[in-house]
Amino acid sequence: MSDAETAVLLLVRVVVGLIMIMHGLNHWRGGGRIEGTARWFTGLGLRQGVLQAWMSVLTEVGAGILLVLGLLTPLACAAVISVMLVAGLLAHRPNGFFVFKDGYEYVLTLAVVALALAVLGPGRWSLDHAAGVDLTGWTGGAIALGAAVVATGGLLGTFWRPQPKADPEAEAGSENIPEQVDQEAH
């Protein structure tokens, strides 16, 4: 691998890592703090919003730090992909593709970049390389994608219980149901 390729991998790792760290810190210390983040997660249909908020903080900050260091890169990438899958499925998918409409464009981009990093590896300027860890190529990609899908499925299967959306027409019609039932009974 050339120095230019190694430098580009470092740049991508650091940028994605810092994005994740900042995102996690924002969930913790930003506008709504943990309480606001918990309400937001609960509004998406996730139970135990405070737990979800803290887990998102730890996952995002932890994955970001690991990416910056180039340590356990496939697992760090799995964490990024999983966070983006959850965000994409629950918060952004209903809004369509484009980020300016709060769509899934941004989270899809971060997830694909994380998968590419898992396949390409962290490069020579990483702690994985210094430790002799070489989980790249199909192996790195499979670890990242597999762990992300399992983690996402586990989280959604355990905590996601969306409330059915109220249908204004059904609500208006439900007001008349007792009268209809009474009329049928007579």
Side-chain angles (χ1 to χ4, degrees):
M1 181 175 289
S2 72
D3 284 346
E5 292 167 328
T6 300
V8 167
L9 287 174
L10 176 65
L11 175 66
V12 172
R13 274 191 5 248
V14 168
V15 168
V16 173
L18 289 175
I19 288 170
M20 295 306 297
I21 291 167
M22 295 304 294
H23 200 85
L25 292 176
N26 186 59
H27 279 169
W28 178 26
R29 307 293 294 170
R33 299 189 170 273
I34 286 293
E35 296 79 17
T37 302
R39 283 190 302 274
W40 182 68
F41 281 130
T42 301
L44 293 175
L46 290 169
R47 292 188 178 188
Q48 299 189 15
V50 172
L51 174 65
Q52 299 303 319
W54 278 113
M55 291 306 295
S56 75
V57 168
L58 293 173
T59 302
E60 292 167 356
V61 171
I65 291 169
L66 291 174
L67 281 176
V68 168
L69 298 174
L71 179 63
L72 304 173
T73 304
L75 296 178
C77 292
V80 172
I81 295 167
S82 182
V83 167
M84 295 306 122
L85 278 172
V86 171
L89 291 169
L90 300 187
H92 301 287
R93 182 182 48 85
N95 303 321
F97 178 75
F98 295 105
V99 71
F100 63 86
K101 293 182 179 180
D102 204 22
Y104 58 88
E105 174 182 16
Y106 172 71
V107 296
L108 176 63
T109 301
L110 283 176
V112 170
V113 169
L115 181 59
L117 272 173
V119 171
L120 296 172
R124 287 192 322 256
W125 301 335
S126 68
L127 292 180
D128 280 349
H129 180 76
V133 176
D134 186 24
L135 295 173
T136 60
W138 292 115
T139 302
I143 290 169
L145 190 56
V149 168
V150 168
T152 301
L155 178 116
L156 295 178
T158 304
F159 293 102
W160 188 47
R161 301 292 183 272
Q163 297 299 316
K165 301 265 188 215
D167 182 7
E169 291 179 24
E171 285 180 7
S174 69
E175 295 170 1
N176 297 326
I177 290 176
E179 293 173 19
Q180 294 170 352
V181 171
D182 287 339
Q183 290 172 358
E184 292 174 5
H186 292 292

